Amino acid sequence: MLKYSIKRLARSLITLIILITIVFALLRFMPEEGYFNNYEKMSPAQIELGLIKMGLKDPLYVQVGRFIRNLLQGDLGVSYRYRVNSPIARIIAPKIAISAKLGIICMAISLPLGLALGVLMARYKGRFWDRLGNAYIVFIQAVPNAVYFIFIQLYGSTWLKIPMLYNENDWRTLILPTISLALPSISSYAMWLRRYMVDETNKDYIKLARAKGVPNTTIWFRHVFRNAVVPIVNLIPGSLLMTISGSIYTESFYSIPGMGGLLVDVIKRQDNNMVLVLVVLFAAVGIVGLLLGDIAMAIVDPRISFTKKEGSR
Amino acid sequence: MLNNGDVILSVKDLHVKFSLRGKVLNAIRGISLDLYKGEALAIVGESGSGKSVLTKNFIGLLDKNGWVDSGEIWYYGLEGGPVDLAQYKTEEQWQGFRGKQVAMVMQDPMTSLNPLKTIGWQIEEALKLHQGLQGEAASKKAIEILSDVGIPEPERRAKQYPHEFSGGMRQRVVIAIAMACNPQILICDEPTTALDVTIQAQILQLIRNLKDKYGLTTIYITHDLGVVANVADRIAVMYAGDIVEVGTCEEVFYDPRHPYTWALLSSLPQLGIKGEDLYAIKGTPPNLFNEIRGDAFAPRNPHPLKIDFLYRPPYFEVSPTHKARTWLLDPRAAKVDPPEIIRHIRNIKLDTMDIKAKNAAEPTAES
């Protein structure tokens, strides 16, 4: 188990280094103006001097090495255009905190609700709860979220008088964005769990469990749910980590100063350094999420074995 | 073989129907059958003849779209007197019956164990339900049963997961689970179909040993007549949702009376003659969505009687243990000779009986 985790970790690191190199190299093709906040007013000599001073004229491998070394020391570099000369870490840290807070609250609500709905739908397949759940899932998946986001905002703020615009000191301002984020999340958890559970109920070992006289409810939880939840466990760490990337739509809808949309912003402003840091950050989160997901799955599924396969007889 | 005349399960004129795509399928068409305590009954027949459906009624595992339309299934194994299983409708009624009275071994051992639970856990689950054992006692008993079904190093194996076992070993585990229920009747639904030929004999031997050791009544569902010859005391031949012939193993093998049984035996590769084409039954089984008139096998019978197409034959008794549903046994019927192969087997039988009779007449030094 530990050996496997370390092996996977090593592989993830290699992936990350390759990724950093590629993104780094690609960004060097971007116009030089992305490194200066007053590019238009500078003379070619000044630009040249500035680039040399920032080390951008060094060979690429030196630059990559330097970037990674700085990264390891927690130095993400500075922003050139988005917020002039301020350290990137200081720009994104509070944004990450806000997005993660919202995301985690949303997950804490949608995971239990989604799983409960999924169990209910699988248990009463083809009957009322299943139909209701299906209608909900189809609605959420088929209708663009802008539509129901607007309704949530409209009814929430005008009828229920829930304050709309984000205010750090007022927890009520989190209600509407949380609902907006949780609705699709619940539907997808429910959809997948229902599907996995229905798959499991048709398996032979469930028939055997019934044949040996295990009561129905026990079968549903101890056998069906337990087996169906494995692939979902795999997704949880990734979704949890991905909360730091925020949600473009919800955050802009409620003026939440989170991470959502930041990448688009810095690309538009041609802030090369910030683009680099954000792309690397999101990629790292994705890689770590997958890694943790696989480890989590290995914990709940004994079939995933990390030691050398023992010959079965 | 029928040492004990006690009937443990009695099926009376059972009709089971399924609703499929808006149509009604007559899966079981009026079966009557007695199962005796301690016997091994084999139910043979081709796919779709209703073998599994029939036995699923004994354990309440009929698919949701199926139902008992009429008939009775009396179970005599309970202390409180006989119960009619055909009247059991809800899960609650079956609770405590399933496993405890009737247990089942299924076809494919590769998929019939929960992949996420240890073998020991899965056996203990049954022990807790049916034998009231808990904790240490349950795990001890589980290990005991594992060794009973021939799994080496049971203490270590109990802690392992199904994927660490081979197919034959998994089938032993499935049997162990069934034994943990401590049932009266064990239904083995094609217990060896998914196994290697070399393993098949071992598994059959195991089931037979357990049957003898615990006085189990066993029902084998199979389409492998080789299996039947090895394990069964009695054979019921099913065709199109009906039992067409039933008798002791010897009676059905050596003196079959129903044309379908003839055809079935004729198509045994073991009885084929080298160089000649193996006999195959022509046509296809009848569509059970339709009402069947007369003898269901008549359209595929090479020498049908006229009456076969008009009226359904009743059972004719050949001997107290042997009966068949064919008009050929009616005294008024024209004489139809069984195919050559069947006559051939019959002669083999008569020869061996002669030898036996002679042996009995002149006892050897051994006996």
Side-chain angles (χ1 to χ4, degrees):
Chain A
M1 180 81 197
L2 191 71
K3 204 172 139 203
Y4 169 83
S5 308
I6 291 168
K7 230 190 228 167
R8 280 292 317 263
L9 196 67
R11 257 186 242 164
S12 305
L13 275 177
I14 294 170
T15 318
L16 198 60
I17 289 169
I18 293 173
L19 183 125
I20 290 174
T21 314
I22 293 173
V23 176
F24 203 87
L26 283 177
L27 277 168
R28 285 298 167 271
F29 291 116
M30 297 291 284
E32 289 162 350
E33 58 191 79
Y35 297 105
F36 305 99
N37 64 333
N38 50 354
Y39 186 79
E40 295 79 10
K41 294 177 202 150
M42 293 165 81
S43 72
Q46 279 177 312
I47 291 169
E48 189 71 12
L49 194 69
L51 287 176
I52 290 171
K53 230 171 81 187
M54 282 185 270
L56 294 169
K57 287 290 180 182
D58 293 343
L60 190 61
Y61 65 88
V62 176
Q63 296 186 32
V64 174
R66 187 161 51 220
F67 177 72
I68 293 176
R69 202 166 52 239
N70 289 343
L71 215 54
L72 290 176
Q73 288 162 1
D75 177 10
L76 305 181
V78 291
S79 159
Y80 298 119
R81 302 191 127 220
Y82 182 77
R83 214 172 283 164
V84 183
N85 284 335
S86 49
I88 295 176
R90 208 160 334 130
I91 301 174
I92 60 175
K95 287 181 176 292
I96 286 180
I98 290 170
S99 284
K101 180 171 79 176
L102 186 63
I104 289 170
I105 292 174
C106 160
M107 221 175 136
I109 292 171
S110 57
L111 191 63
L113 283 181
L115 294 188
L117 181 61
V119 171
L120 213 57
M121 288 172 71
R123 179 79 180 74
Y124 299 104
K125 184 178 158 232
R127 305 229 286 273
F128 175 75
W129 280 107
D130 191 24
R131 282 165 197 226
L132 189 73
N134 267 324
Y136 162 67
I137 289 168
V138 169
F139 176 83
I140 294 289
Q141 310 268 339
V143 176
N145 40 16
V147 176
Y148 57 83
F149 278 16
I150 288 170
F151 276 102
I152 291 169
Q153 196 176 52
L154 186 69
Y155 293 128
S157 56
T158 56
W159 290 8
L160 302 174
K161 303 274 185 279
I162 297 172
M164 196 176 86
L165 293 183
Y166 181 74
N167 174 355
E168 225 180 318
N169 304 313
D170 188 353
W171 62 270
R172 287 177 305 162
T173 57
L174 281 176
I175 295 175
L176 296 180
T178 303
I179 293 175
S180 306
L181 280 178
L183 279 180
S185 195
I186 291 172
S187 87
S188 90
Y189 285 129
M191 183 177 79
W192 287 110
L193 185 66
R194 174 194 181 276
R195 185 238 144 123
Y196 292 137
M197 283 184 79
V198 169
D199 280 357
E200 291 302 318
T201 46
N202 294 325
K203 297 240 171 103
D204 282 349
Y205 72 88
I206 297 297
K207 283 181 203 145
L208 186 77
R210 271 161 63 94
K212 74 176 165 182
V214 181
N216 229 339
T217 323
T218 317
I219 287 184
W220 276 98
F221 285 96
R222 224 191 259 167
H223 293 274
V224 180
F225 177 76
R226 177 70 180 74
N227 281 272
V229 90
V230 169
I232 290 176
V233 165
N234 187 16
L235 296 176
I236 290 175
S239 326
L240 200 60
L241 282 177
M242 269 305 180
T243 56
I244 71 159
S245 64
S247 136
I248 300 183
Y249 209 66
T250 318
E251 290 184 4
S252 67
F253 230 74
Y254 292 95
S255 312
I256 299 169
M259 288 287 278
L262 184 61
L263 182 60
V264 180
D265 269 359
V266 295
I267 290 173
K268 271 197 291 203
R269 305 258 198 110
Q270 298 196 357
D271 190 331
N272 290 359
N273 242 2
M274 279 202 73
V275 173
L276 177 64
V277 167
L278 289 181
V279 170
V280 169
L281 175 70
F282 292 155
V285 161
I287 290 170
V288 174
L290 282 178
L291 173 72
L292 293 181
D294 285 355
I295 292 174
M297 189 151 91
I299 292 170
V300 296
D301 190 340
R303 277 169 298 181
I304 300 166
S305 135
F306 307 122
T307 45
K308 220 173 80 200
K309 198 174 177 258
E310 192 180 337
S312 53
R313 272 163 290 151
Chain B
M1 285 273 194
L2 309 178
N3 42 7
N4 194 336
D6 290 352
V7 173
I8 186 160
L9 189 85
S10 176
V11 181
K12 294 203 164 88
D13 197 27
L14 184 71
H15 288 259
V16 175
K17 296 189 174 179
F18 283 86
S19 132
L20 268 177
R21 294 182 290 275
K23 287 197 285 187
V24 173
L25 180 127
N26 306 298
I28 301 292
R29 305 180 302 120
I31 282 183
S32 296
L33 176 73
D34 284 338
L35 187 66
Y36 299 96
K37 201 165 164 47
E39 76 165 336
L41 172 76
I43 302 177
V44 300
E46 57 198 52
S47 305
S49 59
K51 310 183 293 278
S52 293
V53 171
L54 174 65
T55 52
K56 277 179 181 169
N57 285 296
F58 306 158
I59 192 167
L61 288 178
L62 212 55
D63 290 333
K64 286 229 167 66
N65 57 341
W67 69 93
V68 174
D69 197 57
S70 66
E72 296 158 16
I73 306 166
W74 288 98
Y75 177 71
Y76 298 97
L78 291 176
E79 275 168 18
V83 285
D84 183 4
L85 301 181
Q87 298 301 323
Y88 279 21
K89 302 283 181 220
T90 64
E91 282 292 311
E92 288 70 34
Q93 285 171 311
W94 281 108
Q95 213 68 75
F97 186 88
R98 259 188 219 139
K100 202 178 194 76
Q101 305 298 331
V102 182
M104 200 163 179
V105 171
M106 279 179 300
Q107 186 173 15
D108 189 356
M110 301 313 273
T111 55
S112 37
L113 294 168
N114 187 333
L116 301 187
K117 305 285 188 189
T118 62
I119 297 306
W121 188 96
Q122 298 190 46
I123 298 172
E124 283 168 40
E125 188 178 36
L127 288 172
K128 285 171 188 162
L129 278 168
H130 300 300
Q131 302 199 18
L133 295 172
Q134 294 296 334
E136 195 63 16
S139 35
K140 234 171 149 183
K141 181 80 183 168
I143 289 165
E144 202 182 304
I145 295 173
L146 276 177
S147 106
D148 222 18
V149 297
I151 288 183
E153 298 178 74
E155 290 90 356
R156 187 174 68 87
R157 292 300 229 164
K159 294 192 195 84
Q160 293 186 324
Y161 293 92
H163 67 273
E164 295 169 88
F165 287 70
S166 66
M169 282 294 159
R170 285 191 209 185
Q171 194 64 306
R172 284 176 193 268
V173 172
V174 173
I175 293 168
I177 290 174
M179 295 315 296
C181 299
N182 200 15
Q184 302 269 342
I185 300 176
L186 181 66
I187 299 171
C188 304
D189 191 345
E190 309 205 13
T192 58
T193 309
L195 298 175
D196 281 349
V197 182
T198 48
I199 310 291
Q200 288 185 359
Q202 295 175 15
I203 294 295
L204 291 176
Q205 186 61 46
L206 170 67
I207 298 174
R208 210 157 39 170
N209 290 346
L210 292 170
K211 166 188 174 276
D212 292 343
K213 189 166 167 187
Y214 296 102
L216 275 176
T217 310
T218 44
I219 302 175
Y220 291 89
I221 302 169
T222 180
H223 46 238
D224 184 343
L225 290 169
V227 169
V228 172
N230 268 318
V231 298
D233 300 327
R234 281 201 310 146
I235 301 177
V237 182
M238 282 192 70
Y239 184 75
D242 191 13
I243 291 177
V244 293
E245 181 158 6
V246 59
T248 64
C249 198
E250 297 200 341
E251 285 165 340
V252 174
F253 266 110
Y254 294 109
D255 187 21
R257 294 306 176 98
H258 195 283
Y260 177 66
T261 318
W262 292 348
L264 206 59
L265 288 172
S266 303
S267 54
L268 265 179
Q270 292 92 322
L271 298 180
I273 296 157
K274 206 166 183 180
E276 281 181 27
D277 282 350
L278 189 61
Y279 178 80
I281 305 175
K282 300 201 170 45
T284 50
N287 184 347
L288 294 177
F289 282 115
N290 303 332
E291 194 65 41
I292 290 169
R293 200 158 169 229
D295 186 337
F297 187 62
R300 301 173 79 185
N301 187 347
H303 307 290
L305 304 174
K306 255 186 207 153
I307 192 169
D308 282 345
F309 294 98
L310 300 174
Y311 301 104
R312 188 176 184 179
Y315 284 112
F316 290 94
E317 253 190 28
V318 181
S319 80
T321 51
H322 186 190
K323 55 184 182 170
R325 218 172 209 191
T326 169
W327 286 115
L328 289 179
L329 293 173
D330 190 288
R332 292 162 292 178
K335 181 124 176 61
V336 174
D337 280 329
E340 205 192 315
I341 293 179
I342 301 298
R343 288 205 302 272
H344 185 62
I345 334 181
R346 200 179 278 178
N347 291 336
I348 296 174
K349 173 66 184 171
L350 290 174
D351 288 351
T352 51
M353 283 210 302
D354 276 354
I355 295 164
K356 268 188 196 161
K358 270 182 203 157
N359 286 351
E362 314 159 15
T364 56
E366 272 174 77
S367 58

